[in-house]
Amino acid sequence: MMQNVHLAPEVDEDDLYSGYNDYNPTFDTEDLENDAAFQQAARTSHGRRPPVTAKIPGTSASRPLATGFGSKASLTSSMGRPMTGAIQDGVARPMTAVHAAGYTKAAVRGSSFDPLGQARGPAPPLEMKNSDSSEEKIRQLEKKVNELVEESCIANSCGDLKLALEKAKEAGRKERVLVRQREQIATPENINLDLTYSVLFNLASQYAANEMYAEALNTYQVIVKNKMFSNGGRLKVNMGNIYLKQRNYSKAIKFYRMALDQIPSVHKEMRIKIMQNIGVAFIKTGQYVDAISSFEHIMSTSPNLKAGFNLILCYFAIGNGEQMKKAFQKLIAVPLEVDYDDKYISPNDDPHTNLLIEAIKNDSLRQIERERKSMAEEYIMTAAKLIAPVIETSFAVGYDWCVEVVKASHYVELANDLEINKATTYLRQQDFNQALETLKMFEKKDSRVKSAAATNLSFLYYLENELAQATNYADLAVNSDRYNPAALTNKGNTVFANGDFEKAAEFYKEALRNDSSCTEALYNLGLTYKKLNRIGEALDCFLKLHAILRNSAQVLHQIANIYEIMEDPSQAIEWLLQLISVVPTDPHVLSKLGKLYDNEGDKSQAFHYYYESYRYFPSNIEVIEWLGAYYIDTQFCEKAIEYFERAALILPTQVKWQLMVASCYRRSGNYQKALEKYKVIHRKFPENVECLRFLVRLCTDMGLKEVQEYTTKLKKVEKLKEIREQRIKSGRDGSARSRREGNTAGESGGTKGERLSARLKALPGTSEPYESSSSKEIDASYIDPLGPQAERPKTAAIKRTEEDDFADEELGEDLLPE
């Protein structure tokens, strides 16, 4: 073994080749079996790795070497750490670091088995943060600012704009405090610019939401003018929107163009939206040519429905028919980017496929597709109705052109709707024959279109009171589509007009089962229950309808009328008060309120509503009579004269109102005017006994000479009146006798005396004019806007997007005039 050990010789500076045969014995592997220290390290794992020491420069000759005899001198490597197998502090270090986790030899280490290290005790407590440090204060303040911005945004989304603005202002105040604190302890470069930007932007947005436009513009200016905000220039779009709301269109266009210059071309969608805003602003200012250039650029770059529709409007404004046609074709060609209904039809009977199709039929994406398709159809229909009358020599030719273009596109279904709109246009032009011919063309088409056309035809014939034709087309509409609520409603209307109320109610109920939102059927069902004297069920129908149509004057009137029938005047008054909040100038409702208050004994409220009714409609005899009587009862006869004179103007053949005027003069003590008025009445109605009596009395009281003349006339008129009454009485007796006897003369027309008696009976009395009419006839001569009209059932028709239009799905019933 010793022959392998080479001891380093003494340093001999003269020997240039000394030390070349010296080497580290660690690399000697030939006699490791006889090395006791190595064998002990290999058999045990109790060696402990000493801490790493600094590198000790030098050569192998400058430090002692371990030998195979187990020398206790430490053996270090050239890196300054003990060599593997070296012995330190009496413990041999193992040759390898791979050993069982937590296992040590108890005899060597003197410790128990503790793999989890529980003997070391608990970990030391965490070091507490110093909350008084400036960095910690800044961090907390920054967190608070972020929370305030989030709370402001949440409040805005919930509709609480005032709270959102308050939170935004508080966030702005705290952010300024934060900036000052940062400037005191750090350089300005450490300021959080993103936080400042978000605070200012949110504050400006909240100002704009609260319509505080001046403050919003000032805040946006702060952001835009700060060069440290790299994307601040884009907010000029928001400033342009504010100017647009303020109707400052020139500045809006200016800021839109400035924003457009600062947005790179890669943001194509944003640039298109800004150009669309510019086009809308040009339309607002009437600069249609400039607007056309903006929309034409959009349609050539990235076409969309709104830009195409606006382009048609611009060409319509300048009257360019050819360009309208081209723009309409561009609008038709805009891609919808939606899947059509074929996707939602199962190709086979696979249950998994069917389940998947059912799941996606009404999901949110499908709803978005429906909304987009509905919007496109609305734009196309509106554009077609707009340009059809002006692009050709007649509106019929224009509609035909639009229909052909639509048929050539993927909106084929809209062609039938355009044809129905064509019939509607004929109706507006009072050309009913052409409207009927146009609608009759659909009788040979598919069931849906046929049902729509038949429904409209039934509606038209019902308006013309041709119930037979209305019934035929209502039957055709129901047979074509049994689930069409408009057709069922029209069928119920025709049955209602024929007096079969029970059957009409069944049709209305079926229409409601098919479409619970069919308000026309529900209204007509309530009217039918009123006719059947089922007042409670009628009230339920109208209350349900009121929950749907909160501001419908007809519904409110019907509810009030039902409560009046039920003899509940307080409820009737309450509903009529709601009604006048909807129609405050309706004289009928106001007079009805006055009548109810009068019945309740509240004269002041009755006078208020009767007077309001008189202001809006000063020709209602009932209201005029009540107001005149009210002033007489309150001893203000002079004011009553005004109302009775108006009644006399309205009904000049009735002596009653002129006598009331003269009576008011007499009661107020103005006997001279009363005498003059009675003389005028006597000239118009010489046989009026009451007028002559007052003339005699006034002349007697005033000592006038005409008293004898009027006395003589009074006696003649009274005598004539007695003769007339006797003849009438004898005529009645003779007719009764002839009826009892049953003679032929009585059956063929009576005797001469009887015929004369009948003729005299037909004449008015001396106190009535020859052309007088009863109060019942007077009331019937005035149109009751919410009375008799509301009793007629509504007629179902198909309603388009505009009022009074007809289409193929929605309903539009109207009350018919009596």
Side-chain angles (χ1 to χ4, degrees), residues 587-641:
H588 171 76
V589 179
L590 293 168
S591 64
K592 177 66 73 174
L593 266 172
K595 183 177 180 180
L596 289 174
Y597 276 118
D598 186 29
N599 294 337
E600 291 293 303
D602 192 345
K603 294 291 184 181
S604 61
Q605 286 290 343
F607 171 75
H608 169 73
Y609 288 110
Y610 269 124
Y611 182 75
E612 288 296 311
S613 175
Y614 174 78
R615 280 202 316 122
Y616 293 116
F617 184 55
S619 299
N620 191 331
I621 295 298
E622 181 184 353
V623 174
I624 292 172
E625 184 176 9
W626 191 94
L627 288 171
Y630 173 80
Y631 279 119
I632 290 175
D633 291 341
T634 55
Q635 305 299 320
F636 290 101
C637 299
E638 298 87 352
K639 292 186 178 180
I641 294 173

Side-chain angles (χ1 to χ4, degrees), residues 186-204:
T187 58
E189 289 77 8
N190 293 329
I191 296 175
N192 192 344
L193 290 177
D194 292 336
L195 182 62
T196 304
Y197 182 89
S198 63
V199 168
L200 290 173
F201 178 60
N202 179 61
L203 180 60

Side-chain angles (χ1 to χ4, degrees), residues 520-591:
E520 294 80 9
L522 187 58
Y523 184 91
N524 292 348
L525 182 61
L527 293 180
T528 306
Y529 283 142
K530 280 184 67 178
K531 289 289 185 181
L532 294 171
N533 203 25
R534 294 154 65 175
I535 303 301
E537 295 177 72
L539 181 61
D540 291 339
C541 290
F542 289 121
L543 288 176
K544 289 178 183 177
L545 196 57
H546 175 65
I548 302 172
L549 306 174
R550 304 295 298 182
N551 296 322
S552 173
Q554 295 172 348
V555 176
L556 291 170
H557 177 266
Q558 291 295 338
I559 295 173
N561 181 252
I562 289 175
Y563 277 118
E564 190 178 359
I565 295 172
M566 297 170 67
E567 298 181 354
D568 190 349
S570 60
Q571 283 291 331
I573 289 173
E574 181 180 343
W575 285 98
L576 286 175
L577 289 174
Q578 293 187 39
L579 178 56
I580 62 172
S581 67
V582 178
V583 282
T585 61
D586 192 302
H588 171 76
V589 179
L590 293 168
S591 64

Side-chain angles (χ1 to χ4, degrees), residues 86-146:
I87 301 173
Q88 295 183 357
D89 300 330
V91 180
R93 182 179 181 275
M95 291 297 292
T96 177
V98 181
H99 58 87
Y103 173 77
T104 56
K105 193 173 182 181
V108 179
R109 298 297 178 92
S111 61
S112 61
F113 178 72
D114 187 15
L116 300 179
Q118 297 177 357
R120 292 177 295 186
L126 296 175
E127 183 179 355
M128 296 296 294
K129 290 185 178 180
N130 186 7
S131 58
D132 296 333
S133 65
S134 57
E135 284 294 333
E136 183 63 24
K137 289 181 179 179
I138 290 175
R139 194 177 298 110
Q140 292 297 326
L141 188 57
E142 187 173 322
K143 182 179 179 182
K144 180 63 176 176
V145 171
N146 281 314

